[in-house]
Amino acid sequence: MSETSRFSWGPAAATGVGSMPGGDAREAARTVMGTLEALPHLPELPARGPGADMIGRTAGMLVELYARVEPSGWRLGDRPGRDTARARSWLGEDLDALEEFAQGYAGPLKVSAVGPWTLAASLERRNGEAMLGDPGACRDLVASLGEGLRSHLAELRRRLPGAEPVLQLDEPSLTAVLLGRVPTASGYRTHRAVDRAVVEGALRELTERAGAAGVPVVVHSCAPDVPFALLRRAGATGVSFDFSLVTERDFDALGEAVEGGTALFAGVVPAVPPAASSTQPASAGLSDPAGSVMGVRSLWRRLGLSPESLAASVVVTPACGLAGASPEYARRALAHCVSAARSLADDPE
């Protein structure tokens, strides 16, 4: 297969991570669809409150598992309540807005949900402890999430028949789960590290379910020490990460991922503007698209990878979600990602 046709989004693609600032779903959908032509995404607007946050949004997708908001976070309950209804309502509003501004769109379109291990580390059982501490509960969660994602993707296809869904699983807590760093409810201890084979198996179950429906899966983590090799073995089509956190110990795994056909969603654009100084405005970091991906080019050369594969293998993104930025900066950041991705194609050397 040629470099230009390996992934549904094609070469020189850019996309957002997921979250956008503010609470106006129509404005967020307009911005995304008007800026990200190669790989737009369904925006998330956590500023609206519980149920629009990443955990609540995904909890609302679960099948036969229901969660409610407690002072400590989201906790499982016996039946759907107002918090579940609110989460589903927010998601419906987001889909309505996307449908309005994506009429006639044909091509890849990314939707996000929290992955099983970050969800297990965040959702509480009835006793207040995370689901992570109960292997049986984790298995039930994976099954429920898989069925909920199937319904979500089917709804997207119903609303936008020309869309080719791409599923992003957000796993910012994955490394903490693997290293046994997720705190218990008391805060005095941590949950035992989950065996890597178990973590990989749960992720593979979801990637295989999605793959059977023709949906590629990208796993996102903006935390340090992303387990690139594990995610590749689990069947991830792409791995999304904060490029500024990559260290030399990641180089071999990154090279193996690219050579194995895994896409790299490189977060190179700051999710919030750097602080302004007396000599530079806060937006100064968005003035040089080619400079934003200079580190990616350098990594490619260091790994000895083919320059021709660069634009095909790398998708340019913000370092993380844009919920903490201003609407103006979010628009500029996404447009900057698009320009930076084009520069990789124009000058891969």
Side-chain angles (χ1 to χ4, degrees):
M1 185 176 293
S2 70
E3 295 291 351
T4 57
S5 61
R6 183 188 301 169
F7 306 112
S8 62
W9 47 83
T15 191
V17 171
S19 66
M20 294 285 286
D24 188 334
R26 294 182 73 255
E27 180 59 30
R30 179 189 292 111
T31 297
V32 165
M33 293 306 304
T35 308
L36 302 170
E37 297 179 358
L39 185 53
H41 63 92
L42 176 65
E44 302 171 358
L45 301 171
R48 293 177 301 193
D53 62 296
M54 60 186 289
I55 299 299
R57 184 185 183 95
T58 303
M61 298 181 192
L62 297 176
V63 174
E64 296 183 357
L65 289 176
Y66 312 106
R68 65 179 186 272
V69 178
E70 297 286 345
S72 55
W74 286 88
R75 181 175 298 179
L76 292 181
D78 296 324
R79 60 185 64 85
R82 63 182 181 181
D83 295 323
T84 297
R86 182 164 56 251
R88 292 174 177 174
S89 177
W90 287 135
L91 180 57
E93 180 179 308
D94 295 338
L95 287 168
D96 288 344
L98 184 69
E99 185 177 6
E100 176 183 351
F101 289 98
Q103 281 298 317
Y105 175 77
L109 197 156
K110 183 165 66 69
V111 296
S112 303
V114 177
W117 295 108
T118 296
L119 203 58
S122 303
L123 278 180
E124 298 174 356
R125 290 172 283 160
R126 292 169 180 80
N127 65 0
E129 291 291 351
M131 295 184 76
L132 187 64
D134 183 337
C138 289
R139 288 191 293 270
D140 290 344
L141 182 62
V142 172
S144 174
L145 178 60
E147 188 59 24
L149 291 173
R150 184 196 63 78
S151 297
H152 182 44
L153 293 167
E155 174 67 6
L156 181 72
R157 282 177 159 151
R158 184 189 68 79
R159 289 171 176 261
L160 297 169
E164 303 168 21
V166 175
L167 174 62
Q168 177 179 299
L169 295 177
D170 292 317
E171 284 283 16
S173 297
L174 182 59
T175 300
V177 168
L178 290 166
L179 298 179
R181 294 176 179 171
V182 176
T184 59
S186 69
Y188 295 116
R189 298 184 298 108
T190 57
H191 288 280
R192 182 179 304 173
V194 180
D195 185 88
R196 297 181 77 87
V198 174
V199 170
E200 182 181 323
L203 289 167
R204 186 184 300 109
E205 180 177 335
L206 294 178
T207 62
E208 289 179 349
R209 286 193 62 160
V215 178
V217 175
V218 176
V219 180
H220 168 73
S221 174
C222 51
D225 301 318
V226 175
F228 292 100
L230 182 152
L231 296 175
R232 179 171 57 86
R233 292 193 305 268
T237 299
V239 180
S240 174
F241 57 100
D242 182 344
F243 190 79
S244 70
L245 300 179
V246 169
T247 65
E248 284 197 32
R249 64 175 175 267
D250 298 314
F251 287 178
D252 287 345
L254 283 167
E256 290 170 2
V258 173
E259 291 178 340
T262 304
L264 302 183
F265 284 56
V268 298
V269 176
V272 294
S277 69
S278 59
T279 57
Q280 286 191 321
S283 59
L286 300 183
S287 61
D288 181 13
S292 294
V293 288
M294 187 181 303
V296 178
R297 288 193 184 91
S298 298
L299 175 64
W300 229 249
R301 289 193 295 268
R302 179 159 183 170
L303 295 177
L305 297 169
S306 166
E308 290 73 26
S309 70
L310 181 55
S313 299
V314 173
V315 177
V316 177
T317 77
C320 206
L322 295 169
S326 68
E328 178 189 4
Y329 180 82
R331 287 190 293 269
R332 287 171 53 85
L334 293 180
H336 188 86
C337 288
V338 172
S339 297
R342 288 174 182 158
S343 79
L344 287 179
D346 294 340
D347 182 18
E349 300 287 352

